[in-house]
Amino acid sequence: MRKRLERHVNWNIARRKAIVTPQWLRDSVESGQLLPCGRYAALGDLYEETVKNCPDASDGSHCQAFPEDGTAHRIESELTERKYHSEKDTQIRYHHRYACMRHSPLICPNQGLVEKLAILRRHREIEGFDMQSLSYERVISVLKAFPYHITLDNIHEVSELPHIGSKICSKIQEFIQHGDISECKSILSGTRYHSLVEFTTVYGIGPATARNLYSLGLRTIKDLENHYKVSPQTRDDIAKSLNVNFTKRLPQLSIKVGLALREDLRSRIPRSEVEEIHGVVMNELANIRSGCVSTITGGYRRGKDESNDVDIVISHKDLKSGGDQVKGLCAHLVKRLHDKGLVTHVMHLSGFREPNALRTTHGDSLEKALTVFILPDDKKQKHVHRRLDLIFAAPEVYWTAVVGWTGSKMFERDLRLWAKQERGMRFDSSGISRRHDSKLYFPNSEQEVFELLGLEWIHPTLRNADL
Ligand code: 8DG
Ligand code: CA
Ligand code: CA
């Protein structure tokens, strides 16, 4: 964010530099040359300046003073980017139909617009219009990958991108002209949207329950606390009230407990704490079984500064599918973490079946535990409860699980769709198989997962196809 950057760098100086994410450095080292900076712009606001001032800019114009004429800028930045795309031998295209064929950075040049469209998407989702919500999700994911700042000069190109219809185009045009979208303003001016969004910040309350509670006349979190009889005095006791039972299938965390934990669970988790939680978990696991491997997936792996929860995929080279070995290790670890007071709640602990899971021997090769975790308090700070997802995989499905749990959601959706429609394959976290004869594939790396699906590997920080 501009504000944050300005704590360290004067804005006028920043405008004369290329402000990139550390990934630019890594990728440049990897490719043995200074890469164009546009795709790595750390701030949407400085996208054009970053393209312009990139040390790679062929005419050396980065040394010159910043010109005021935005048009010259834009055309030049487009040329630089186009040159990059055509020169590099890549199948990746920002106008590709599938998100898994596009580069989607965490922050894109049209972030402000995408954030407005995300309000419309959220509104459809929360009102139960799932198809419309999905359409907006697709629009957002296409715009996330569009590498140029959208203006009236290039809106025609935007209108020809996949999933962009005329209705959306007029909203984009409105945004370009007025910096806002009138429908967003009217949604935000009422109480309903705000109440429903607030309600869904409680774990266990989805859009349908939120609408029901609203129809009972409830409007605020305070109203919910009265309704569910949660008060500041009883909150701590309620938060501790769920006893973990490892022998039975566990219930969903009750709304009452969700309310008691709400403040904790809605606060974002910085990367340092994600890493600390990972360290503690793997330390405990080493006491049960040494030599386990793991990857922190989810938003953390995609480069987010702050995550809503922690996702860890775990495996061991000797872990066998069948005979409940994967399940056993998962249950054992969760029990140990619970005994140590680290896992306070378990919402889900069971074998892994997706609606379209592979009908193969992979049935018991994945196991997931959705939990609530808290780091022990130390002298320096008091910790809060965090959502922690642990995914245990047999070694042959470790890399599909890592890909499947890295996200983002839309990237995953299109990976599955691409596999099915373009390659005649099935892909999900629990494996890859050929549809016509169910032949199984066991990739040995993440790159191999992409290769098997006929895709170019995309760096996790460019898989941010959702807001
Ligand atoms: P954040 O909100 O946690 O910061 O971002 P995130 O890490 O992208 O969100 P997430 O809700 O933790 O989801 C991480 C990825 O894991 C996402 O791409 C979807 C995937 N995922 C689930 N649940 C399940 C599931 O039950 N099965 C499979 N295969 N994938 C899942 O979230
Ligand atoms: Ca996550
Ligand atoms: Ca998660």
Side-chain angles (χ1 to χ4, degrees), residues 297-299 302 402-412 415 460 463-466:
T297 56
R302 301 198 310 277
V402 168
V403 172
W405 282 81
T406 294
S408 69
K409 230 172 105 192
M410 208 60 210
F411 190 91
E412 297 296 329
L415 259 186
R463 297 182 207 166
N464 288 291
D466 295 76

Side-chain angles (χ1 to χ4, degrees), residues 272-292:
S272 56
E273 191 176 335
V274 173
E275 287 154 17
E276 199 178 342
I277 291 173
H278 174 244
V280 169
V281 169
M282 293 313 289
N283 224 354
E284 292 303 327
L285 183 59
N287 286 306
I288 300 171
R289 185 149 189 178
S290 65
C292 284

Side-chain angles (χ1 to χ4, degrees), residues 217-282:
L218 310 180
R219 296 290 179 269
T220 63
I221 292 294
K222 200 101 219 83
D223 293 343
L224 291 193
E225 289 184 341
N226 291 336
H227 183 77
Y228 287 102
K229 301 190 174 47
V230 177
S231 68
Q233 292 75 37
T234 58
R235 200 174 284 152
D236 278 357
D237 289 338
I238 293 169
K240 289 182 197 135
S241 67
L242 186 78
N243 281 326
V244 180
N245 180 338
F246 288 94
T247 55
K248 287 198 189 121
R249 232 168 182 260
L250 292 146
Q252 189 74 3
L253 202 65
S254 74
I255 292 176
K256 207 169 161 149
V257 178
L259 257 177
L261 291 174
R262 175 176 170 270
E263 286 301 330
D264 279 12
L265 297 188
R266 75 194 296 242
S267 69
R268 300 291 176 88
I269 318 172
R271 293 182 75 80
S272 56
E273 191 176 335
V274 173
E275 287 154 17
E276 199 178 342
I277 291 173
H278 174 244
V280 169
V281 169
M282 293 313 289

Side-chain angles (χ1 to χ4, degrees), residues 158-200:
V158 176
S159 72
E160 292 184 338
L161 293 172
H163 310 298
I164 306 281
S166 56
K167 263 206 239 111
I168 288 295
C169 255
S170 56
K171 289 194 166 42
I172 296 177
Q173 193 158 345
E174 197 188 337
F175 179 83
I176 297 169
Q177 287 169 324
H178 306 290
D180 208 340
I181 297 172
S182 53
E183 197 194 340
C184 289
K185 276 201 232 165
S186 82
I187 288 171
L188 294 176
S189 67
T191 54
R192 183 174 167 91
Y193 176 80
H194 292 288
S195 295
L196 295 179
V197 167
E198 275 290 282
F199 291 178
T200 55

